Amino acid sequence: GEDVEQSLFLSVREGDSSVINCTYTDSSSTYLYWYKQEPGAGLQLLTYIFSNMDMKQDQRLTVLLNKKDKHLSLRIADTQTGDSAIYFCAEPNSGGYQKVTFGTGTKLQVIP
Amino acid sequence: NAGVTQTPKFQVLKTGQSMTLQCAQDMNHNSMYWYRQDPGMGLRLIYYSASEGTTDKGEVPNGYNVSRLNKREFSLRLESAAPSQTSVYFCASDRGHATNEKLFFGSGTQLSVL
């Protein structure tokens, strides 16, 4: 089955760049996702990348995909206190039904 | 636009008590899901409903039952709550057309079982 791994915690200073890393197992995934969970709220889709792409940039967010190493990263430039949240990497399940497998989540703490 | 609405937001139960978590979506989505979130373990799928009238087990179904009451509503029932079911529960939905659908989440129910 799918296994998505992330480090649990990251602390950065406001204005610095944050890099959140993820490793996944299913090489057939057509998409990979980043979800954001703000305190006391549900998850919201932040961005996603097609598996035939190496990089996707969306304003302050850059997603890098290394398919050979099955490694996905999310870079947040000029990190703000409002970026403090838990970030989940996720990949679609290949088990024949519709769901995604979520990573353990990385809690990003932004220090003013 | 309400999206996915869960009730209650907080609940405390004693071991052995039963309760039902309610979920409703107003986006005309076909598929609905119940997840639990535990520290260091991410989200794990409890049950899902690919379409109205169908339900299936996810990764951690033991101790839970579900009902897809209609297209809008998907409830999760704990028949005899146990301390191991202390968790944050999330309902989610998507259009259900493909495996790459964007999931929409409710704001969660924090459940404590004493």
Side-chain angles (χ1 to χ4, degrees):
Chain A
E2 290 78 8
D3 194 16
V4 182
E5 300 283 343
Q6 297 178 245
S7 55
L8 291 180
F9 191 75
L10 176 66
S11 180
V12 299
R13 292 206 174 274
E14 190 174 17
D16 288 349
S17 292
S18 308
V19 180
I20 301 171
N21 295 303
C22 167
T23 58
Y24 61 96
T25 56
D26 187 354
S27 59
S28 66
S29 293
T30 54
Y31 295 78
L32 291 154
Y33 308 93
W34 284 105
Y35 280 81
K36 178 183 180 182
Q37 183 184 27
E38 296 184 350
L43 281 70
Q44 286 189 304
L45 183 65
L46 186 64
T47 188
Y48 64 92
I49 187 168
F50 291 94
S51 60
N52 62 358
M53 298 170 68
D54 297 324
M55 185 181 81
K56 178 179 179 181
Q57 189 146 4
D58 183 3
Q59 299 182 333
R60 291 190 298 117
L61 304 178
T62 303
V63 179
L64 295 176
L65 176 59
N66 181 331
K67 287 190 71 176
K68 176 177 171 291
D69 295 336
K70 297 180 186 172
H71 184 264
L72 183 72
S73 67
L74 174 69
R75 179 177 180 269
I76 305 172
D78 186 23
T79 311
Q80 304 297 305
T81 54
D83 295 323
S84 294
I86 302 176
Y87 292 81
F88 291 90
C89 172
E91 64 171 342
N93 181 280
S94 60
Y97 57 89
Q98 296 158 353
K99 78 171 184 76
V100 296
T101 298
F102 288 91
T104 51
T106 299
K107 186 172 184 178
L108 175 64
Q109 180 187 46
V110 182
I111 304 166
Chain B
N1 192 352
V4 180
T5 304
Q6 286 182 239
T7 55
K9 287 191 178 299
F10 302 95
Q11 184 71 49
V12 179
L13 294 177
K14 294 181 180 178
T15 297
Q17 287 186 314
S18 62
M19 78 160 295
T20 300
L21 280 65
Q22 306 288 351
C23 175
Q25 51 87 12
D26 63 0
M27 296 172 282
N28 200 35
H29 283 171
N30 290 307
S31 300
M32 298 184 73
Y33 310 82
W34 276 105
Y35 288 89
R36 59 176 289 172
Q37 182 181 24
D38 301 293
M41 301 188 75
L43 273 77
R44 292 181 293 169
L45 184 65
I46 304 170
Y47 269 93
Y48 69 101
S49 171
S51 61
E52 185 180 357
T54 68
T55 61
D56 286 284
K57 295 177 180 179
E59 300 169 62
V60 288
N62 291 346
Y64 305 96
N65 283 300
V66 290
S67 295
R68 184 75 183 266
L69 304 169
N70 47 54
K71 193 171 186 180
R72 289 187 64 247
E73 298 172 288
F74 188 39
S75 62
L76 178 72
R77 183 160 178 84
L78 286 71
E79 289 291 353
S80 178
S84 61
Q85 294 178 304
T86 293
S87 187
V88 181
Y89 291 85
F90 288 99
C91 178
S93 69
D94 66 30
R95 294 183 305 169
H97 293 165
T99 56
N100 58 341
E101 291 286 345
K102 171 184 174 181
L103 282 165
F104 292 80
F105 283 83
S107 56
T109 297
Q110 190 166 326
L111 175 67
S112 295
V113 183
L114 306 177

